[in-house]
């Protein structure tokens, strides 16, 4: 498939330029005959999770299409859902470049993008141009210059804005690239944030007469007692789902490789062990009460199989897509053929 050749060529140029070119190329070609270059007609494997009907179990993880510019193209490739964002109330530039680094020997990426995005208003305008029916998750975060104590206001603002347009909403409290963000995963910060969001979700469900599931996305760098407290909070508040995991701050699996000392979150193959541990621990605590969406280091169909076996109902990929292209979606989707 031509898209696999394009993907190999993109791996030869700088990661952020490659990313921007890919999004631009997809944005320009989706909904035109050129979309046939990457369209994959996968067998339908519908399943119901969080009250939503997913066409298959493989989704695009947040961060690739932060501004929701090429959603139709990702559906064409066969993704069963696309998560856009992280989007913040106001547009922000993110960290200075360079801020994405590939470690090809380890099929890994380190990034410290820092929630660069066009801001909620513009992202919703992009989303309104989407032509294909499909599941779209909107991942929300706080602006970098919003103090931690005021972060709930940013999340509530985002929830209000995105609610009518999202299939589900993800509360990102686990990016390592926004100072202090990950402290929202703990103690009173977490319970206050989740209970305020849940309350607002109920109000919005009444207002729009439509229930939009709310999920949180957590880090892989959590110990068992932290995973336990998060599970308790999620159960108590009756959240709709949990995405595990974001990138890791532990760079030890890539030490000795070029870029290993770059600050930021590590993703790709070396993340797999940590994310599957978190998913397994969550599943032991939550069982089938709260669905888990597994993400982190899924580079092959076998990895995906292991994540499903450890309890995830759906999966998402980012780095696997960068290194293996749309073919990976097809291989994972063929698992039960
Ligand atoms: C360059 C880059 C940017 C990312 N941006 C976001 C983001 O904005 N929000 C988010 O929740 N996760 C973000 N992620 C994390 C991914 O969604 C995913 O959780 C993580 O990369 C682990 O999956 P993977 O090993 O398949 O890449 C980003 C990852 C990368 C590599």
């Amino acid at each position: 498939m031509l898209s696999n050749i394009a993907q190999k060529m993109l791996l030869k140029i700088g990661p952020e330029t490659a990313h921007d070119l890919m999004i631009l190329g997809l944005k320009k070609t989706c909904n035109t005959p050129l979309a046939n270059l990457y369209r994959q007609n996968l067998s339908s494997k519908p399943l119901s999770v969080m009250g939503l009907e997913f066409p298959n179990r493989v989704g695009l993880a947040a961060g690739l299409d932060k501004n929701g510019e090429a959603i139709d193209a990702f559906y064409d490739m066969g993704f069963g859902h696309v998560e856009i964002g992280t989007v913040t109330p106001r547009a922000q530039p993110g960290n200075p470049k360079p801020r994405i680094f590939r470690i090809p020997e380890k099929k890994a990426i380190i990034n410290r993008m820092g929630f660069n995005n066009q801001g909620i208003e513009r992202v919703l305008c992009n989303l309104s141009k989407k032509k294909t029916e499909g599941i779209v998750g909107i991942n929300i975060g706080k602006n970098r210059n919003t103090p931690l104590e005021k972060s709930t206001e940013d999340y509530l603002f985002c929830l209000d804005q995105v609610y009518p347009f999202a299939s589900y909403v993800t509360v990102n409290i686990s990016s390592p690239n926004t100072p202090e963000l990950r402290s929202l995963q703990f103690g009173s910060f977490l319970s206050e944030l989740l209970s305020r969001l849940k309350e607002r979700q109920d109000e919005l469900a009444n207002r729009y007469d439509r229930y939009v599931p709310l999920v949180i996305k957590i880090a892989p760098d959590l110990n068992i007692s932290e995973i336990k407290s998060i599970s308790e909070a999620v159960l108590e508040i009756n959240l709709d789902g949990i995405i595990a995991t974001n990138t890791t701050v532990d760079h030890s699996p890539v030490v000795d490789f070029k870029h290993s000392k770059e600050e930021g979150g590590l993703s790709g193959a070396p993340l797999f062990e940590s994310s599957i541990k978190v998913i397994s621990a969550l599943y032991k605590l939550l069982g089938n009460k709260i669905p888990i969406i597994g993400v982190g280091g899924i580079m092959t169909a076998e990895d995906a199989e292991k994540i499903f076996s450890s309890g995830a109902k759906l999966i998402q990929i980012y780095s696997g897509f960068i290194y293996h292209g749309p073919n990976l979606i097809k291989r994972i989707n063929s698992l039960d053929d």
Side-chain angles (χ1 to χ4, degrees), residues 229-239 285-287 289-290:
S229 325
I230 292 174
S231 303
E232 281 163 9
V234 161
L235 280 170
E236 191 184 320
I237 280 149
N238 201 14
L239 224 59
L285 295 157
L286 300 171
K289 284 184 236 149
I290 312 270

Side-chain angles (χ1 to χ4, degrees), residues 3 12 23 29 36 40 50 62 85 87-88 112 133 135 149 182 199 202 209 234 253 258 284 337:
S3 59
K12 302 223 180 299
I23 294 291
T29 54
N36 285 325
Q40 304 192 101
M50 306 187 290
V87 59
T88 54
R112 52 167 179 272
E133 282 282 308
I135 294 196
E149 319 77 68
R182 286 172 303 149
E199 209 176 87
D202 290 340
D209 200 19
V234 161
K258 193 174 170 201
K284 274 202 191 105
D337 283 346

Side-chain angles (χ1 to χ4, degrees), residues 61-63 66 86 111 139 172 217 245-246 267-268 271 295-297 318-319:
K66 285 181 190 275
T86 298
N111 94 83
N139 179 309
N172 183 4
K217 181 165 178 181
T245 68
N246 213 312
S267 59
L271 173 60
V295 48
Y318 189 131
S319 306

Side-chain angles (χ1 to χ4, degrees), residues 306-326:
K306 286 183 192 155
I307 297 282
F308 290 129
S309 305
S310 66
K313 295 279 178 290
L314 299 164
I315 59 158
Q316 295 179 337
I317 56 172
Y318 189 131
S319 306
F321 178 76
I322 299 299
Y323 282 106
H324 301 299

Side-chain angles (χ1 to χ4, degrees), residues 51-321:
L52 300 171
E53 299 304 315
F54 289 78
N56 65 50
R57 298 189 285 181
V58 194
L60 178 68
L64 194 69
D65 191 4
K66 285 181 190 275
N67 297 307
E69 294 171 286
I71 306 173
D72 288 319
F74 292 111
Y75 291 143
D76 280 342
M77 290 178 202
F79 281 111
H81 70 280
V82 175
E83 188 167 314
I84 64 169
T86 298
V87 59
T88 54
R90 295 170 305 285
Q92 59 179 31
N95 288 318
K97 296 177 188 175
R99 51 194 181 176
I100 319 184
F101 308 87
R102 290 191 205 106
I103 307 177
E105 303 86 342
K106 289 290 211 176
K107 295 276 182 287
I109 298 172
I110 292 177
N111 94 83
R112 52 167 179 272
M113 301 300 282
F115 289 173
N116 55 308
N117 77 102
Q118 297 172 352
I120 208 129
E121 200 176 320
R122 182 73 190 275
V123 171
L124 291 178
C125 174
N126 298 339
L127 180 61
S128 69
K129 298 185 184 132
K130 172 173 90 76
K131 301 236 172 358
T132 319
E133 282 282 308
I135 294 196
V136 61
I138 308 186
N139 179 309
I140 58 174
K142 76 170 200 67
N143 275 110
R144 186 187 175 95
N145 58 8
T146 300
L148 195 64
E149 319 77 68
K150 294 241 160 69
S151 25
T152 304
E153 304 312 312
D154 273 15
Y155 286 100
L156 286 170
F157 178 82
C158 288
L159 181 62
D160 284 345
Q161 301 293 309
V162 304
Y163 193 93
F165 309 102
S167 309
Y168 70 89
V169 178
T170 302
V171 180
N172 183 4
I173 46 174
S174 51
S175 166
N177 303 314
T178 294
E180 300 186 304
L181 187 89
R182 286 172 303 149
S183 40
L184 296 172
Q185 296 177 115
F186 309 114
S188 55
F189 277 131
L190 182 69
S191 44
E192 138 96 8
L193 176 67
L194 293 189
S195 50
R196 300 269 313 270
L197 285 167
K198 184 72 195 172
E199 209 176 87
R200 186 64 61 90
Q201 178 198 30
D202 290 340
E203 286 166 28
L204 291 163
N206 278 334
R207 188 183 314 160
Y208 294 104
D209 200 19
R210 185 170 79 97
Y211 185 82
V212 176
L214 194 60
V215 312
I216 53 165
K217 181 165 178 181
I218 63 168
D221 311 303
L222 299 167
N223 62 37
I224 194 71
S225 81
E226 291 165 339
I227 296 174
K228 211 165 160 224
S229 325
I230 292 174
S231 303
E232 281 163 9
V234 161
L235 280 170
E236 191 184 320
I237 280 149
N238 201 14
L239 224 59
D240 301 288
I242 183 156
I243 303 185
T245 68
N246 213 312
T247 56
T248 175
V249 289
D250 175 13
H251 292 190
S252 61
V254 294
V255 81
D256 296 336
F257 288 87
K258 193 174 170 201
H259 300 311
S260 69
K261 293 198 172 58
E262 291 292 347
E263 210 177 296
L266 174 71
S267 59
L271 173 60
F272 185 77
E273 286 311 315
S274 319
S275 62
I276 200 166
K277 266 190 205 145
V278 174
I279 293 164
S280 309
L282 281 174
Y283 190 65
K284 274 202 191 105
L285 295 157
L286 300 171
N288 290 322
K289 284 184 236 149
I290 312 270
I292 301 164
I293 301 170
V295 48
I298 301 171
M299 313 302 279
T300 63
E302 292 69 37
D303 293 340
E305 181 70 76
K306 286 183 192 155
I307 297 282
F308 290 129
S309 305
S310 66
K313 295 279 178 290
L314 299 164
I315 59 158
Q316 295 179 337
I317 56 172
Y318 189 131
S319 306
F321 178 76

